[in-house]
Structure formats: C-alpha cells, structure tokens
Amino acid sequence: MKVNVFRIENDKVDNLTVELENNGFECEADNEDENSYSALYLRKKHSENRGWLNYYQQMLSEERFAYYTENIGSESVSGLFLIQKNDYSYVLSYGQTHFIIRKYCDKDFGLNLAERILDPQGLKMKHSQTFTSAGKKDITSYLRNRKFDDSRDYGEAFSYVKCKTIDKELWGETADFGESARFSFGKSFHLSPIELYHFTDEIEKVLKSEVNIKLPRYHKVIDRDVLETLNKELDKHFLDFVTDVDVSDYWLTGVNFNFSNDYRYSLKLFKTDLSGQLGRLFRSI
C-alpha cells in the first residue's frame, strides 16, 4: 500500500477540516493524548472501489466499516488521516483528498525531505523545468540506476523525483518526492495506523539534520529587501540587453505616413519604465 504524506502548518488545520466537512467528509475516528491529536476523515461516493480501507479497520466500529465497504464493486471511499502535533500537522491522503490538501500544504516539504533521505546513486525518475521551457519529464531505467550528478542540466529546477532511499527499513526501498512524500508499505516496510505517529517523529527528526544532496529548484522570494535587490539587478541587466533590440517584422496601415530615421520605445516592467531611442520609425497617422 502506498502512503502519500503532506505537511501543513497547524494554523491551517481548521480551514482544512472545514473544507473537508463542506465536501461531505465525516470524522469517523479520532484520538488525543499528551503528544498529538489524530483523526480519520472518510467520504463515500459511487465509483471504482479503493482497497486501502482495510488498513484502518481496527479504528472503526463494525457498523461504520461495513458502511464504507459494502457493495465494494460500485462504491469508493476517499479519506485522510490527520496527525496534529506541536509544530506541524501531517496528513495521509487517500482517494481524491489530495485536491483539497494541496491548498494548505507546505509545498517544499517533499523535496526538503528528499534532500535528506534519497540515495544519490539510485535515481529512478525526475520532473524538472528550465527558464526556457514549461517542463520536462525524465524517465530512467529500473534496471540501471542513475546518479543525480549525471542528470542535472544548467538552469534546471526539480519539481519531482523518484529515487531509492538511504534506509529501506525506515523509509522503504524507493519513495516519491514532490509537494508531498509517497512511501510504499511492503515486505520490508510495515507500519500499523497507531505507529504512524512515530513515523512522523522520524520525519521531523530527519528534517532537522544536514542536507545530503542539494536539489536545484525554484524558491518563492518573500523578503522585501531581497525582492528590491533582485529587481534592481534585473533592471541593470535588462538595460544592457534592450540596446540590442531591433525590429524584425512590422506592417503599416492608413493613408498618410511620417518617416523618420529614429524612433523611441517605452518598455514597462515591475516598478520600472525603460525608455530609449532605436533604429528607424514608421508611424501612421
């Protein structure tokens, strides 16, 4: 069974649970102790069934379990398991709940975790983007591993990686990392629902450790001083570039035209107005 783990800030949990309830999800089981609060939210709809619900059977009464699993061929269940802790909350997504969770999650969480637990010798797949393209997908062989050092291009930013982990007993043999982290429970990796709290302990512990490999990626700049510095740097280099701008294609409409050897331009950027004089102008009046 695959487990897709998101991390969200605690002050966004209330908004998440309100939206879940507005979309027909019900809290069917919860538990609170001195360390955390956990809750299982479920919603039943008509479509192809998912088989993951048996995993949480011990947390539900026989009546509620039967409600979500009867007519298994024509019903499906979506849900999430919420673990709320002191600093952050963790959400395990099933079915269609990831569409709701993505609005509230820490979008750097998956790649931050990847930088600490992936095996740089065992790359399986990556999705990346450059400034000159919308995006690309790179698939590698499952028979031959690929090194990260051999798969990064200049100016490339990663948005997703699938890779072997450094500890298959703790993290499973392979894992997927993007906005979330997806783990596979299998022969070497077993956890019951009540052990998921301890699993998030391991995640929090490793996130405080040093980075093993740095993944190139885009970062949202929030600091106003940094933004101001970057805008000034952009202005400076753009002025160097714009002096080489030339007219490669044009057309004229109208009856009378004024011809001149020079023309002026005005180019507006963020908080910037670049003006100058270039080439030859054809102006219609």
PDB file of all heavy atoms in Angstrom, residues 146-157:
ATOM      1  N   ARG A 146      20.638   5.624 -11.915  1.00  0.00           N
ATOM      2  CA  ARG A 146      21.273   6.815 -12.468  1.00  0.00           C
ATOM      3  C   ARG A 146      21.676   7.740 -11.335  1.00  0.00           C
ATOM      4  O   ARG A 146      20.940   7.912 -10.367  1.00  0.00           O
ATOM      5  CB  ARG A 146      20.301   7.515 -13.417  1.00  0.00           C
ATOM      6  CG  ARG A 146      20.880   8.711 -14.142  1.00  0.00           C
ATOM      7  CD  ARG A 146      19.868   9.212 -15.154  1.00  0.00           C
ATOM      8  NE  ARG A 146      20.347  10.407 -15.841  1.00  0.00           N
ATOM      9  CZ  ARG A 146      19.639  11.039 -16.761  1.00  0.00           C
ATOM     10  NH1 ARG A 146      18.452  10.592 -17.103  1.00  0.00           N
ATOM     11  NH2 ARG A 146      20.123  12.120 -17.340  1.00  0.00           N
ATOM     12  N   LYS A 147      22.820   8.383 -11.455  1.00  0.00           N
ATOM     13  CA  LYS A 147      23.310   9.277 -10.434  1.00  0.00           C
ATOM     14  C   LYS A 147      22.734  10.678 -10.645  1.00  0.00           C
ATOM     15  O   LYS A 147      22.561  11.124 -11.769  1.00  0.00           O
ATOM     16  CB  LYS A 147      24.836   9.345 -10.470  1.00  0.00           C
ATOM     17  CG  LYS A 147      25.534   8.015 -10.202  1.00  0.00           C
ATOM     18  CD  LYS A 147      27.039   8.195 -10.278  1.00  0.00           C
ATOM     19  CE  LYS A 147      27.744   6.874 -10.028  1.00  0.00           C
ATOM     20  NZ  LYS A 147      29.223   7.028 -10.136  1.00  0.00           N
ATOM     21  N   PHE A 148      22.490  11.378  -9.528  1.00  0.00           N
ATOM     22  CA  PHE A 148      21.980  12.736  -9.632  1.00  0.00           C
ATOM     23  C   PHE A 148      22.977  13.651 -10.329  1.00  0.00           C
ATOM     24  O   PHE A 148      22.601  14.536 -11.087  1.00  0.00           O
ATOM     25  CB  PHE A 148      21.664  13.286  -8.241  1.00  0.00           C
ATOM     26  CG  PHE A 148      20.248  13.060  -7.837  1.00  0.00           C
ATOM     27  CD1 PHE A 148      19.891  11.954  -7.092  1.00  0.00           C
ATOM     28  CD2 PHE A 148      19.257  13.947  -8.201  1.00  0.00           C
ATOM     29  CE1 PHE A 148      18.580  11.741  -6.726  1.00  0.00           C
ATOM     30  CE2 PHE A 148      17.939  13.748  -7.836  1.00  0.00           C
ATOM     31  CZ  PHE A 148      17.602  12.635  -7.100  1.00  0.00           C
ATOM     32  N   ASP A 149      24.255  13.441 -10.070  1.00  0.00           N
ATOM     33  CA  ASP A 149      25.264  14.307 -10.670  1.00  0.00           C
ATOM     34  C   ASP A 149      25.275  14.213 -12.189  1.00  0.00           C
ATOM     35  O   ASP A 149      25.741  15.129 -12.868  1.00  0.00           O
ATOM     36  CB  ASP A 149      26.646  13.953 -10.123  1.00  0.00           C
ATOM     37  CG  ASP A 149      26.790  14.321  -8.657  1.00  0.00           C
ATOM     38  OD1 ASP A 149      26.001  15.171  -8.190  1.00  0.00           O
ATOM     39  OD2 ASP A 149      27.671  13.757  -7.985  1.00  0.00           O
ATOM     40  N   ASP A 150      24.779  13.103 -12.730  1.00  0.00           N
ATOM     41  CA  ASP A 150      24.762  12.922 -14.181  1.00  0.00           C
ATOM     42  C   ASP A 150      23.435  13.332 -14.806  1.00  0.00           C
ATOM     43  O   ASP A 150      23.252  13.186 -16.016  1.00  0.00           O
ATOM     44  CB  ASP A 150      25.028  11.447 -14.535  1.00  0.00           C
ATOM     45  CG  ASP A 150      26.383  10.970 -14.032  1.00  0.00           C
ATOM     46  OD1 ASP A 150      27.290  11.817 -13.930  1.00  0.00           O
ATOM     47  OD2 ASP A 150      26.526   9.769 -13.741  1.00  0.00           O
ATOM     48  N   SER A 151      22.500  13.834 -14.010  1.00  0.00           N
ATOM     49  CA  SER A 151      21.145  14.081 -14.528  1.00  0.00           C
ATOM     50  C   SER A 151      20.678  15.516 -14.342  1.00  0.00           C
ATOM     51  O   SER A 151      19.506  15.815 -14.526  1.00  0.00           O
ATOM     52  CB  SER A 151      20.149  13.148 -13.826  1.00  0.00           C
ATOM     53  OG  SER A 151      20.095  13.441 -12.440  1.00  0.00           O
ATOM     54  N   ARG A 152      21.595  16.409 -13.987  1.00  0.00           N
ATOM     55  CA  ARG A 152      21.210  17.800 -13.776  1.00  0.00           C
ATOM     56  C   ARG A 152      21.803  18.680 -14.864  1.00  0.00           C
ATOM     57  O   ARG A 152      23.005  18.622 -15.129  1.00  0.00           O
ATOM     58  CB  ARG A 152      21.675  18.280 -12.397  1.00  0.00           C
ATOM     59  CG  ARG A 152      20.888  17.673 -11.255  1.00  0.00           C
ATOM     60  CD  ARG A 152      21.349  18.211  -9.926  1.00  0.00           C
ATOM     61  NE  ARG A 152      22.632  17.649  -9.522  1.00  0.00           N
ATOM     62  CZ  ARG A 152      23.215  17.876  -8.344  1.00  0.00           C
ATOM     63  NH1 ARG A 152      22.633  18.674  -7.477  1.00  0.00           N
ATOM     64  NH2 ARG A 152      24.362  17.330  -8.041  1.00  0.00           N
ATOM     65  N   ASP A 153      20.957  19.487 -15.480  1.00  0.00           N
ATOM     66  CA  ASP A 153      21.397  20.423 -16.501  1.00  0.00           C
ATOM     67  C   ASP A 153      21.495  21.822 -15.918  1.00  0.00           C
ATOM     68  O   ASP A 153      20.850  22.147 -14.912  1.00  0.00           O
ATOM     69  CB  ASP A 153      20.419  20.433 -17.686  1.00  0.00           C
ATOM     70  CG  ASP A 153      20.348  19.085 -18.388  1.00  0.00           C
ATOM     71  OD1 ASP A 153      21.390  18.392 -18.405  1.00  0.00           O
ATOM     72  OD2 ASP A 153      19.270  18.732 -18.900  1.00  0.00           O
ATOM     73  N   TYR A 154      22.265  22.662 -16.563  1.00  0.00           N
ATOM     74  CA  TYR A 154      22.422  24.045 -16.121  1.00  0.00           C
ATOM     75  C   TYR A 154      21.072  24.766 -16.181  1.00  0.00           C
ATOM     76  O   TYR A 154      20.373  24.719 -17.181  1.00  0.00           O
ATOM     77  CB  TYR A 154      23.439  24.763 -17.005  1.00  0.00           C
ATOM     78  CG  TYR A 154      23.665  26.202 -16.619  1.00  0.00           C
ATOM     79  CD1 TYR A 154      24.429  26.526 -15.504  1.00  0.00           C
ATOM     80  CD2 TYR A 154      23.089  27.231 -17.355  1.00  0.00           C
ATOM     81  CE1 TYR A 154      24.642  27.837 -15.141  1.00  0.00           C
ATOM     82  CE2 TYR A 154      23.288  28.555 -17.000  1.00  0.00           C
ATOM     83  CZ  TYR A 154      24.064  28.856 -15.887  1.00  0.00           C
ATOM     84  OH  TYR A 154      24.258  30.157 -15.534  1.00  0.00           O
ATOM     85  N   GLY A 155      20.700  25.430 -15.090  1.00  0.00           N
ATOM     86  CA  GLY A 155      19.455  26.181 -15.049  1.00  0.00           C
ATOM     87  C   GLY A 155      18.217  25.334 -14.844  1.00  0.00           C
ATOM     88  O   GLY A 155      17.096  25.833 -14.967  1.00  0.00           O
ATOM     89  N   GLU A 156      18.378  24.071 -14.504  1.00  0.00           N
ATOM     90  CA  GLU A 156      17.239  23.162 -14.344  1.00  0.00           C
ATOM     91  C   GLU A 156      16.746  23.178 -12.905  1.00  0.00           C
ATOM     92  O   GLU A 156      17.541  23.180 -11.965  1.00  0.00           O
ATOM     93  CB  GLU A 156      17.674  21.749 -14.741  1.00  0.00           C
ATOM     94  CG  GLU A 156      16.575  20.718 -14.727  1.00  0.00           C
ATOM     95  CD  GLU A 156      17.080  19.337 -15.141  1.00  0.00           C
ATOM     96  OE1 GLU A 156      18.290  19.089 -15.033  1.00  0.00           O
ATOM     97  OE2 GLU A 156      16.255  18.528 -15.558  1.00  0.00           O
ATOM     98  N   ALA A 157      15.424  23.193 -12.732  1.00  0.00           N
ATOM     99  CA  ALA A 157      14.818  23.170 -11.406  1.00  0.00           C
ATOM    100  C   ALA A 157      13.951  21.930 -11.271  1.00  0.00           C
ATOM    101  O   ALA A 157      13.110  21.670 -12.122  1.00  0.00           O
ATOM    102  CB  ALA A 157      13.991  24.423 -11.172  1.00  0.00           C
TER     103      ALA A 157
END
